[in-house]
Amino acid sequence: MKKNIISYLMAFIAVISFTSCADDFLDTTSTEDVPESEAVKTTVNMGILVNGMHRLMYTRQENNRRGGYPSMMGMFSWMGEDVVQNARANNYWLGHVQWINHRAADNLDLKHVWNIMYQLIANANIIVEGAPDATGPQEDNDSALGEALCYRAFAHYVLVQLYAERYVPGVVNSQGGVPLRIVSGTDDLARSTVEEVYTQINADLDQAITLLDGYGRANPSHFDLSIAQGLKARVNLTQGNYTVAATNAALARVDYDLMDSTTYMQGINDFTADDWMWGAHYDEIQTSNFTNWGGFMSRNFSSNQLRGNPKSISSELYNTIPSSDVRKAIFSDDGTHPNLPAGVELLSSHNRFPFTHQKFLAAGNGDSRADVPYMRVSEMYLIEAEALARQGGQDAAAAAALLPLAQARDASYTLSANTGQALIDEIMLQRRWELWGEGFRFFDLKRLNQSMDRTGSTNHNEALILTLQVSAGDPRWQWSIPTDELNTNSLVKQNP
């Protein structure tokens, strides 16, 4: 990583020079105009650097299969049991489906995840260290610093979940985590403990919550108070700090509405729509058709990846969704999709497989643009409900927290009468239906110390995916530390 950070800090201007939304100074000022030495001299320059971090989250790196965090969301989904890969041809991430690539220390996708997250951290550290001396309005300083802290927390959170053993609630987590980089520099650095990493993540989010209070962001690619609270809820759900998770999830969702069924059927594609909290937007100038989220995850874009290998829901999960629930209607049991929105069509060259989705739809057969859902308000309802249910003695409150989301998706749903483990199971099933394909399943299985089991579905092809089961606690739940990091950081030790 030492080499990668040095290279990035010298070249970050070129990497993040274009931006996404024309109505915000952070999105119209090119970072080409800001030498590294000037990056945090003023609050305007701090804002430009923050905007470059937004861009880095989804920009194409090296080739079509490495498109920042959206491509990672795909990997995290492929490694679960709920998303089905239908074909071998043009399958970018088959090695992740097979639970192979993430264990190969020299795998370029593995390196991509590590590098992008530490590049975000490196830029965040520049802002954190430069903010006290930057000239400009205090509110601009606070917002840029708050967003940088969110990114530093988010990146460390992704890294520690992947490359370390799971966080075990109720004990001191002294197992090796990841290098905790909270100051600029490329010195060799040992892995902090998992507990230390989570302590810093929470400290960064707490500071960001204070700084972003009252900040009116320009668009949903930016962080604001609600997103910081949403991240705080995610992190503490992972840690088993259920009171903190429920409280922050409830706070985060206050100013958002849930999509109605009609809007939901149009696809999860527009980050200005109800339900969206944080996401990425590709415009016509910066688009990279075969790297975009819609280039590998939509149903209708015409690429080798999607024509030959459209993504399906597992038959086992599909069969659990009530027919009255709109989330069943976004999957086609025979792959023909008779209820596509107006103006959306499949080409004759799009292969038909059972249980394919239309949850994510590209702008057109020749235009893969589709906004990327990093956080939606539905997740906050699910976090609140789960966190309450897992506390014990909060079943009524948990059922009430789940009710608005469940009814928004299924008008016939009534307040759950389940209690205890049955209520938790119901909430987790709702979570799988709602967040299908959005990159959560691997993390959910790992945080709950559950096995990955694909054997109950009829449409998983064992000859293709090879791995049908991975037991809880298997060493394969830890990703390997990339070879480049081991070669440049003498203090880092590889996972078993």
Side-chain angles (χ1 to χ4, degrees), residues 207-225:
Q207 187 179 356
I209 286 170
T210 298
L211 291 166
L212 295 174
D213 191 5
Y215 170 52
R217 61 180 177 170
N219 58 68
S221 69
H222 292 261
F223 295 102
D224 64 6
L225 174 62

Side-chain angles (χ1 to χ4, degrees), residues 2 23 33 195 258 269 339 392 403:
K2 184 187 300 183
D23 57 350
D33 300 329
E195 194 73 54
L258 288 160
N269 312 309
N339 59 353
L403 183 63

Side-chain angles (χ1 to χ4, degrees), residues 150 154 205 223 227-236 278 375:
C150 282
F154 171 77
L205 291 174
F223 295 102
I227 312 307
Q229 291 167 329
L231 289 175
K232 182 81 173 178
R234 274 188 192 175
V235 169
N236 282 273
W278 177 38
M375 183 184 291

